[in-house]
Amino acid sequence: MAEWDVVVVGAGNAALCAALAARESGASVLVLERAPEDEGGGNTRFTAGAIRTVYNGVDDLRALMPDLTDEEVSITDFGTYTSDQFFDDMFRVTQFRTNPDMAEALVTRSYDTLMWMRGKGIRFQPIWGRQAFKVDGRFKFWGGLTVESWGGGPGLVEGLWTAARREGIEVRFSARVLELIYDDVAVTGVRVKTPTGVETVRAKAVVLAAGGFQANPEWRTRYLGAGWELAKVRGSRFNTGDGIRMALAIGAAPYGNWSGCHAVGWDYNAPEFGDLTVGDNFQKHSYPFGIMINADGRRFVDEGADFRNYTYAKYGRVILNQPNQFAWQVFDQKVTHLLRDEYRIRRVTKVTADTLEDLVTKLEGVNPQAALAELKAWNGAVMADVPFNPNVKDGRGTRGLGVPKSNWANTLDTPPYEAYQVTCGVTFTFGGLRIDGSGQVLDVDLAPIPGLYAAGELVGGLFYFNYPGGTGLCAGAVFGKIAGTGAGEAATGRAAQAAR
């Protein structure tokens, strides 16, 4: 029977940060990944790699990204993203429901955790193409999101796997953990199913970092509500809630926004689960520069309410609630140069037309007469006297519409017109397990469960209703490092030694 100091369940960003932190404590570490290697890495593998972090100026960014050149710095306004700004975003988008202790850990440890990752060989770069537009010869970053991992999500996963192996951490794929071994006092290991059978792996501590339950349609319908079985899954097909289930089975406390999730506009004809050959490019996030209409031919949401970083994770739910669970995003040639790269992939549901009359007949599933009337009403409502500026909330809105648009409103009058059909793509679920400040899982009496830690998407309490873009990878790293350190110190006795 195998024995380890720490077993980590999962092999994405949170899991590998936990493994690396536990190894720093002197622990022997085994990582068990349910997926085969070519699909491993959880949702991290499917992301674009954006990571929200505090920085107080360009010097902080240059320390994190030493590849930045003087020329790049000279033509860029990186601005700042202070702790106060991060706190404000977290409290605002979660309607002040985020756990304040968790939010404090996330914000205050964000930059130091990324620097720690850099020390492990992880590289970062500015998000030039998606978070900054060039205006008057100068790039300006917006929405508090400036940093991404080199090579996106796949690059981050490969970097973390490389770091783990370099530091003597064993990673096993096609190893599905079935249950925790629990003696009514402490967790002492796991039972794991591999291609050769089921075996018991003993451990002094276990870290659960196996993702949420978004790939489980039965759980989605049970907890998110009716209709959620119809959503697409943006990422891994293996995130079915196993880590949450096995912890609840031994009395762990459920916590957080169990009826909430991160859900976005996603290509209508995307597959049931994420496709690594496409990655996150089925998303369609340039809606602030156009309009969205539903099957009834009506607009249904303020596309310019805020920067897309603060609305995209909740608008998927809004789209799912439309008739037949879809919408069409409509743009004209004045803004198509601003569309993100995901609009230019081969596998995209797109129509074009030279007139609005022709366009509405091509919008499959839409009432064409109602849609044409809506587009004409839109054109008459745009505040064309206000300058358009994609880098700021420009106040270029509408007048007299039942559903207003607050910023970036443009008339649809420059053909050819382009329209893209989207549905709801669920990224991860917000409900999960309750942890303390060391990442230890709490039971239903809110007492720590000895030997059990958790991090990543299966931890509840951080996100409610909505989500600031790029916070997921940051939270996975921060809480992964916290949980790994807690598990490693408990397993090696360092915590007890420190207490003495």
Side-chain angles (χ1 to χ4, degrees):
M1 183 184 300
E3 293 192 26
W4 298 79
D5 290 328
V6 176
V7 166
V8 178
V9 182
N13 172 53
L16 268 296
C17 285
L20 289 164
R23 189 76 187 98
E24 279 190 349
S25 300
S28 60
V29 182
L30 171 66
V31 173
L32 298 173
E33 166 66 299
R34 175 181 171 184
E37 185 168 1
D38 62 350
E39 294 184 77
N43 269 358
T44 305
R45 188 98 170 260
F46 290 85
T47 71
I51 306 180
R52 184 173 293 263
T53 184
V54 167
Y55 65 95
N56 293 308
V58 70
D59 289 342
D60 286 346
L61 294 177
R62 297 196 82 163
L64 184 62
M65 301 178 285
D67 295 321
L68 270 178
T69 67
D70 291 339
E71 180 182 359
E72 289 170 334
V73 171
S74 70
I75 62 170
T76 305
D77 179 4
F78 288 106
T80 63
Y81 191 63
T82 65
S83 295
D84 285 346
Q85 289 173 299
F86 202 161
F87 278 122
D88 287 346
D89 284 342
M90 282 297 297
F91 290 132
R92 175 171 53 85
V93 303
T94 66
Q95 300 177 31
F96 293 89
R97 288 186 178 271
T98 183
N99 179 294
D101 293 331
M102 295 179 72
E104 182 173 8
L106 170 68
V107 172
T108 60
R109 301 190 190 195
S110 60
Y111 182 79
D112 289 344
T113 299
L114 264 62
M115 288 296 291
W116 171 78
M117 294 172 72
R118 190 174 82 79
K120 300 294 183 185
I122 305 303
R123 297 175 65 191
F124 302 99
Q125 63 185 2
I127 315 178
W128 299 109
R130 294 178 288 122
Q131 288 295 138
F133 297 111
K134 200 170 188 177
V135 177
D136 297 327
R138 189 168 174 81
F139 287 99
K140 181 179 176 62
F141 277 85
W142 47 267
L145 191 54
T146 307
V147 178
E148 67 180 348
S149 56
W150 196 280
L156 178 57
V157 168
E158 289 297 331
L160 289 168
W161 287 356
T162 298
R165 288 164 175 147
R166 184 176 60 243
E167 299 196 18
I169 297 168
E170 184 175 340
V171 181
R172 295 182 188 171
F173 297 95
S174 299
R176 179 180 183 179
V177 175
L178 302 175
E179 62 181 332
L180 299 168
I181 298 173
Y182 180 61
D183 61 8
D184 295 327
V185 175
V187 170
T188 60
V190 297
R191 283 177 55 78
V192 56
K193 181 180 180 181
T194 71
T196 59
V198 177
E199 63 180 283
T200 297
V201 177
R202 294 288 179 182
K204 296 174 183 175
V206 173
V207 180
L208 297 174
F213 58 84
Q214 64 275 359
N216 184 332
E218 194 270 338
W219 275 35
R220 288 203 310 270
T221 309
R222 183 192 304 184
Y223 295 115
L224 302 183
W228 277 97
E229 73 278 13
L230 303 175
K232 309 277 188 179
V233 176
R234 289 184 62 191
S236 173
R237 64 189 175 95
F238 297 98
N239 287 12
T240 56
D242 282 3
I244 299 171
R245 172 189 53 75
M246 65 183 75
L248 296 180
I250 66 166
Y255 189 47
N257 188 195
W258 275 74
S259 62
C261 67
H262 180 302
V264 308
W266 196 245
D267 191 274
Y268 184 76
N269 288 305
E272 179 182 3
F273 302 109
D275 183 337
L276 284 170
T277 65
V278 177
D280 70 334
N281 281 318
F282 286 124
Q283 67 190 353
K284 297 292 175 281
H285 288 171
S286 293
Y287 57 85
F289 304 132
I291 66 171
M292 288 194 284
I293 60 174
N294 62 18
D296 294 333
R298 304 298 186 192
R299 287 180 58 251
F300 54 90
V301 74
D302 182 349
E303 303 92 344
D306 205 336
F307 289 116
R308 76 100 205 170
N309 295 345
Y310 304 122
T311 60
Y312 80 110
K314 66 178 181 178
Y315 279 0
R317 178 186 287 267
V318 179
I319 293 169
L320 188 72
N321 288 334
Q322 299 311 301
N324 300 320
Q325 302 84 43
F326 75 83
W328 283 90
Q329 298 178 0
V330 182
F331 309 92
D332 78 357
Q333 290 301 303
K334 294 193 301 295
V335 299
T336 52
H337 67 286
L338 298 174
L339 300 187
R340 291 155 55 102
D341 289 345
E342 66 226 28
Y343 287 82
R344 301 177 182 91
I345 66 171
R346 182 176 59 84
R347 293 168 62 183
V348 63
T349 307
K350 172 186 178 182
V351 297
T352 61
D354 289 326
T355 66
L356 295 179
E357 288 78 6
D358 189 23
L359 181 71
V360 296
T361 66
K362 296 182 177 182
L363 303 181
E364 185 174 348
V366 173
N367 180 321
Q369 293 80 20
L372 184 60
E374 188 81 344
L375 297 181
K376 289 183 175 180
W378 164 264
N379 279 344
V382 171
M383 297 164 58
D385 53 321
V386 178
F388 172 71
N389 187 341
N391 279 322
V392 299
K393 289 196 282 187
D394 60 6
R396 183 182 168 101
T398 57
R399 296 186 181 97
L401 296 180
V403 179
K405 185 171 182 179
S406 301
N407 298 283
W408 310 297
N410 280 291
T411 52
L412 295 166
D413 57 14
T414 308
Y417 305 102
E418 298 181 5
Y420 300 81
Q421 192 176 24
V422 295
T423 186
C424 173
V426 58
T427 312
F428 68 93
T429 43
F430 291 161
L433 306 176
R434 190 163 190 155
I435 59 172
D436 66 11
S438 66
Q440 195 164 6
V441 175
L442 303 181
D443 67 17
V444 291
D445 296 318
L446 303 188
I449 299 176
L452 186 61
Y453 298 77
E457 294 173 359
L458 54 65
V459 170
L462 192 60
F463 304 119
Y464 289 78
F465 311 119
N466 195 9
Y467 162 100
T471 314
L473 286 179
C474 184
V478 167
F479 291 102
K481 186 173 186 291
I482 289 171
T485 299
E489 290 182 348
T492 60
R494 290 192 177 187
Q497 293 169 15
R500 290 198 296 270

